[in-house]
């Protein structure tokens, strides 16, 4: 394959469209969350991921798992956890079974903020997808996103 190969060009165009859709959605949600709740998209995502932890088997996430879930490096995730901890939205505690392990949980204040922010996030996502669906280049990707369903 060469740089002028039509298949490569189509692949690159598809990747650019996907990147554009992601950036457009993230920017729209970022503005909405910042304006209404003083939260970034990453902060919201981290609170959301951590709020889904549970005490059962496999329910507590290690920092690497959290980093993977919010698509950040471990060091960036640790800095983000520290910022939210400083705001009283997260707390760290020692693993009861392995004192070397440190877990992070959402505080009551964090849960309250997350619940208040969920409708804002959902509305902003819907608005961004609706706007993107009007772009012929992005419409097929929007359709694909909208067709995805979480398994029951």
């Amino acid at each position: 394959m060469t740089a002028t190969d039509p298949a490569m060009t189509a692949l690159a165009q598809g990747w650019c469209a996907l990147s554009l859709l992601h950036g457009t959605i993230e920017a729209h949600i970022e503005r909405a969350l910042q304006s209404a709740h003083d939260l970034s998209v990453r902060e919201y995502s981290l609170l959301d991921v951590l709020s889904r932890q549970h005490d059962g088997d496999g329910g507590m996430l290690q920092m690497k798992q959290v980093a993977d879930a919010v698509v950040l490096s471990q060091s960036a995730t640790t800095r983000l956890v520290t910022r939210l901890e400083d705001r009283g939205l997260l707390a760290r505690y020692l693993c009861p079974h392995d004192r070397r392990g440190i877990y992070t949980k959402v505080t009551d204040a964090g849960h309250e903020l997350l619940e208040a922010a969920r409708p804002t996030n959902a509305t902003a996502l819907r608005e961004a997808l609706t706007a993107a669906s009007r772009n012929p280049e992005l419409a097929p990707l929007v359709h694909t996103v909208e067709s995805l369903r979480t398994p029951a």
Side-chain angles (χ1 to χ4, degrees), residues 104-118:
T104 304
K105 65 180 177 179
V106 181
T107 64
D108 290 343
H111 280 291
E112 287 175 23
L113 181 58
L114 180 61
E115 289 310 310
R118 282 189 199 280

Side-chain angles (χ1 to χ4, degrees), residues 6 25 108 138:
I25 291 169
D108 290 343
L138 300 180

